[in-house]
Amino acid sequence: MTDAPPPGGIGLDAKLSGVLGGRTAGALTKAFGIETAGQLLQHYPRRYARRGELTALAELPLDEHVTIVAEVLEVRERTMRSRRGSILEASISDGTGILTLTFFNQAWRSRELKPGVRGVFAGKVGAYQGKRQLAHPDYELFAEQELDVGSEEARRWAETPVPIYPATSTLASWQIAAAIELVLDALGPLDDPVPAELRRERSLEGYRAALEGVHRPESEGQTRLARRTLRFHEAFALQTALLQRRAELRRAVAVSREPRPGGLLERFDAALPFELTDDQRSVGEEISTDLAATAPMNRLVQGEVGSGKTLVALRAMLAVADSGGQAALLAPTEVLAAQHVRSIARMLGPMLSAELLPTLVTGQLGAAERRKALLRTAAGQSRIVVGTHALLGDKVEFADLGLVVVDEQHRFGVEQREALRRKGRTPPHVLVLTATPIPRTVAMTVFGDLDVSTIRQLPAGRAGIESHVVPLALRPGWRPRIWSRLAEELEQGRQGFVVVPAIEGAQLEAGGLDPEEAAEAAEDARPLATVVDTLAEARAHPQLAGRRVEALHGRMSADEKDAAMQEFAGGAIDVLVATTVIEVGVDVPNASTMIVFDADRFGVSQLHQLRGRIGRGGVPGVCLLVTGAEPGSVALERVEAVAATLDGFELARVDLELRREGDVLGERQSGGRSSLKLLRVAHDGELIADARTAAAGILADDPTLASHPALAAALRRRLDEESASFLAKG
Ligand code: ADP
Ligand code: MG
């Protein structure tokens, strides 16, 4: 049952259940978390198709996302031999060529994919056993239309853009389109969040017109103007929110922290066995200026793995300790937290360690140890407290928290940073470290509330890393040589990592791949390299006889992982066969070799980070990227890009170009409903910068947005969604 819309029309905050009826509204909530009219209107078409255009199937490029119009020829279902489940195969045709569609465990689709039906199909072109296919394509089947060939009506029917929406198995694109039509019809007048003058300057249309143009366009030109308008809306709202938040943070009053002459920081610097790099020095100066001010620092330090970020952070902690304050270092995993405490103690040396008592707080501590750690923290004896998210717990209190350092930011949300921030009596200074090089526009988009510092130089004396692709599809004979190469390195007294995407069976390591990649991987017929199999293969290899080869993966307990890492660091283990749990921050200077099996299953920046584990000491590193990816595929191109350069910024750029959208921003932006919709950080750099300037201009005159109510309302909706998706994540 649908209530009649209110006389003036509904607003963007109207609940969909009142407009669409409970079934559809429920399905939209379940599938996309969409609850209101405004959220549904932001569910933009992924692309547009034209019904009259059959696509030449023979020319489809491998590995690219395509949208094609074709006719269903035949549908078959078969069960799989190796795994549970079924595969539905449909062949479609453009009149000459044939393409196979495959669906994994979706037999129900045979009810709609009937021979003779025409529709638009969209997906990534793959090859399986020599035949081109689309795995899990989106499609929209056309309703039967009785039109005279050659008539004006028929021409219009054939040329009108058909919006293709992100859909699910329970909610097809056309159902979403119908729901959006209902909402657009019921919608009352809208206030435009973008002030008229800004619109005029950029020749943008009004908000309402843009929503119409994107969802029910009559021409392609209309969709372009609508999308351009809505992209600006998105960038403008986002930048206004970030700049407002930044201003808010800066209004808080923090304690100014300055190193004492002859104090802890000076003593530390005097004992350093090496010179700081120029970048470390200048970033250090930016940080000490921030710390000395009474506005809280909010700074992101980005730099390659091994560029010396931890050292920079430690020096900031010492500056804070000099004024009697404490610093908390938040690490993404237990392994890393434990490693941080050890390396901090080592860098401090015995004297400073005794004074600062670096302390570990994780969920895995025994009761007695935990009590001791919490006491030291609450009493202020421990001036450096390192932990995982356990640090965010209610039981953890600080005597005088002056600085929060967050290592590997992309794994922590704003909310977690916030929770730790609240543990200070006065707002602590915040320093965020990331080894993922972030292109400027991404930084502006994702970290727009932070100041950014960059360390580009690596400390001198690094021996470098050679990277090679081992393309098994092209050269299957090379496989035995992979192990020989590892054996040669071990003979020189060095150690190695072997990285694989899965633990055992077809199970992917959690956190290794993003959901889309995982889904693609599951569809791919090639079995994944696993820890279990690879461990057995390495142990059985004659050239590795007598070597100690052990496993490290996410299903081991924190103690087991920690023990394996420590034994490896101590040289007792020669080779670690691991999943991506070794990804971040691990530091074993004697590890010279890394072999990544199924390298195409990892992202570009992930591979780059993994590779950062080797070549950290004086020994040159060797990285073998082993892949079965087809020659000419994007998958192989990505792996080759990683082998071609060690420059993380260059790779971040390549990554932006080669990866599908949404991936680059990480979970923080692509996971929640508040994620970017139309904005593409890879291409919209100028637009984002323009929107940031425009937002700054508005906020300069009207910091509380009192005279921009529509914009304030748009920001409030954004914020509600952000906290809703935070709560949903738990
Ligand atoms: P990151 O945190 O950026 O990965 P770290 O701070 O852990 O880098 O530094 C990596 C290694 O390099 C550590 O062993 C550290 O002691 C060493 N290191 C840091 N800065 C320098 C420097 N300026 N010169 C020589 N070695 C350095
Ligand atoms: Mg580090």
Side-chain angles (χ1 to χ4, degrees), residues 2 95 127 202 266 424 463 475 482 484 488 515 660 682 705:
T2 306
R202 292 162 183 78
E266 270 189 24
R475 312 214 180 270
I482 300 167
S484 314
E488 283 166 23
R660 290 257 283 139
L705 299 179

Side-chain angles (χ1 to χ4, degrees), residues 309-310 340 407-408 585 616:
K309 295 180 298 298
T310 309
H340 268 310
D407 194 8
E408 306 305 341
R616 293 178 71 99

Side-chain angles (χ1 to χ4, degrees), residues 259-260 263-270 314-316 318-319 322 352:
R260 258 180 310 123
L264 299 160
L265 181 57
E266 270 189 24
R267 281 163 57 200
F268 176 79
D269 282 348
L314 180 57
R315 293 185 68 249
L318 288 167
D322 258 337
L352 284 174

Side-chain angles (χ1 to χ4, degrees), residues 526-549:
R526 281 180 292 137
L528 293 174
T530 65
V531 172
V532 172
D533 296 348
T534 310
L535 192 65
E537 186 178 339
R539 283 177 173 168
H541 199 279
Q543 280 182 282
L544 297 178
R547 301 293 183 192
R548 193 160 158 219
V549 186

Side-chain angles (χ1 to χ4, degrees), residues 272-277 280 303-312 339-340 343 346-347 407-408 433 435 455 458-460 462 585 587 589 613 616:
L272 257 189
F274 45 71
E275 292 279 303
L276 295 179
T277 63
Q280 279 176 319
E304 294 281 306
V305 168
S307 62
K309 295 180 298 298
T310 309
L311 184 82
V312 165
Q339 184 177 298
H340 268 310
S343 66
R346 195 182 57 223
M347 286 195 250
D407 194 8
E408 306 305 341
L433 309 179
I455 306 183
L458 293 183
R462 290 285 154 78
D587 195 3
R613 307 296 125 237
R616 293 178 71 99

Side-chain angles (χ1 to χ4, degrees), residues 579-661:
T579 54
T580 50
V581 290
I582 59 154
E583 187 181 338
V584 200
V586 167
D587 195 3
V588 180
N590 191 46
S592 68
T593 312
M594 173 167 291
I595 300 170
V596 185
F597 283 106
D598 289 330
D600 52 295
R601 303 304 180 88
F602 300 91
V604 168
S605 52
Q606 205 175 16
L607 286 175
H608 178 60
Q609 295 228 359
L610 283 167
R611 178 173 56 183
R613 307 296 125 237
I614 57 170
R616 293 178 71 99
V619 291
V622 179
C623 177
L624 302 182
L625 301 169
V626 184
T627 171
E630 297 289 328
S633 64
V634 174
L636 186 58
E637 207 181 318
R638 284 167 46 208
V639 177
E640 282 169 344
V642 176
T645 179
L646 289 173
D647 181 340
F649 283 90
E650 169 62 12
L651 285 175
R653 195 189 58 70
V654 172
D655 205 11
L656 269 177
E657 274 172 22
L658 293 183
R659 293 189 82 180
R660 290 257 283 139
E661 280 302 342

